[in-house]
């Protein structure tokens, strides 16, 4: 699997308050483009929309240190979704047969490996950003 090299680096900060503020500032740019639900268009999926609503719910279920760890890669993940044409690792969701999971690999400017997971509903074709996380 080929990883996409982003120009963005990880968001600086060690406290949840600081990292979240910077991540929300990046998200505000995306949010400003539409009056409805915020989305990004992905060249890999032929410019189809990728929505964020599942991501924020998923992130709120994590503990604070894990949220910090994931939010640090948020800016790089947005760039990866917007610009990457690399093929992801795709598989059926083991919990739900009606969903496909696409896992993209990226490398930040400061050479840190991370993954972006996108969920696709097979019947409707709707895509959701599910998760962003660094490699262990």
């Amino acid at each position: 699997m080929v990883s996409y090299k982003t120009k963005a680096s990880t968001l600086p900060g060690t406290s949840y308050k600081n990292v979240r503020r910077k991540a929300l500032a990046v998200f505000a740019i995306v949010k400003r483009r539409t009056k409805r639900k915020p989305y990004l268009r992905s060249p890999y999926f032929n410019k189809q929309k990728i929505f964020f609503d599942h991501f924020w719910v998923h992130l709120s279920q994590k503990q604070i240190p894990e949220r910090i760890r994931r939010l640090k890669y948020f800016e790089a993940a947005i760039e990866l979704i917007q610009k990457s044409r690399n093929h992801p690792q795709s598989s059926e969701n083991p919990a739900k047969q009606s969903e496909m999971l696409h896992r993209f690999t990226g490398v930040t400017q400061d050479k840190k490996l991370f993954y972006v997971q996108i969920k696709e509903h097979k019947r409707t074709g709707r895509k959701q950003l599910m998760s962003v996380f660094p490699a262990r």
Side-chain angles (χ1 to χ4, degrees):
M1 190 162 47
V2 180
S3 57
Y4 178 79
K5 291 177 180 68
T6 64
K7 292 178 183 172
S9 58
T10 55
L11 293 174
T14 53
S15 73
Y16 177 64
K17 183 179 174 183
N18 291 339
V19 175
R20 183 174 184 268
R21 186 171 9 100
K22 289 173 183 154
L24 287 177
V26 171
F27 185 60
I29 296 167
V30 173
K31 210 172 166 182
R32 220 176 288 138
R33 294 183 191 155
T34 181
K35 291 180 182 179
R36 294 177 181 90
K37 287 186 178 183
Y39 64 87
L40 292 174
R41 291 195 182 267
S42 173
Y44 176 77
F45 294 112
N46 296 321
K47 296 290 184 182
Q48 290 182 342
K49 295 176 182 178
I50 311 247
F51 294 96
F52 286 88
D53 31 345
H54 188 75
F55 173 73
W56 297 110
V57 172
H58 179 72
L59 190 68
S60 68
Q61 295 169 350
K62 303 294 179 192
Q63 298 293 323
I64 298 292
E66 185 64 20
R67 287 184 204 177
I68 295 169
R69 213 174 113 239
R70 290 170 184 245
L71 276 178
K72 283 181 168 271
Y73 294 89
F74 188 68
E75 185 176 16
I78 286 179
E79 182 184 338
L80 184 141
I81 292 168
Q82 284 181 322
K83 297 183 180 178
S84 177
R85 292 187 176 274
N86 297 345
H87 293 284
Q89 179 184 353
S90 298
S91 63
E92 262 189 12
N93 187 349
K96 263 189 170 173
Q97 298 295 320
S98 63
E99 295 176 348
M100 287 289 291
L101 298 176
H102 305 282
R103 185 176 286 183
F104 291 88
T105 307
V107 178
T108 61
Q109 183 71 29
D110 42 354
K111 309 233 184 315
K112 294 180 180 174
L113 186 68
F114 70 98
Y115 300 104
V116 174
Q117 192 157 309
I118 295 175
K119 174 174 73 170
E120 175 184 6
H121 293 277
K122 288 182 183 177
R123 190 174 54 86
T124 61
R126 183 178 171 96
K127 292 163 188 64
Q128 302 267 345
L129 174 62
M130 195 168 160
S131 188
V132 176
F133 53 94
R136 291 254 178 207

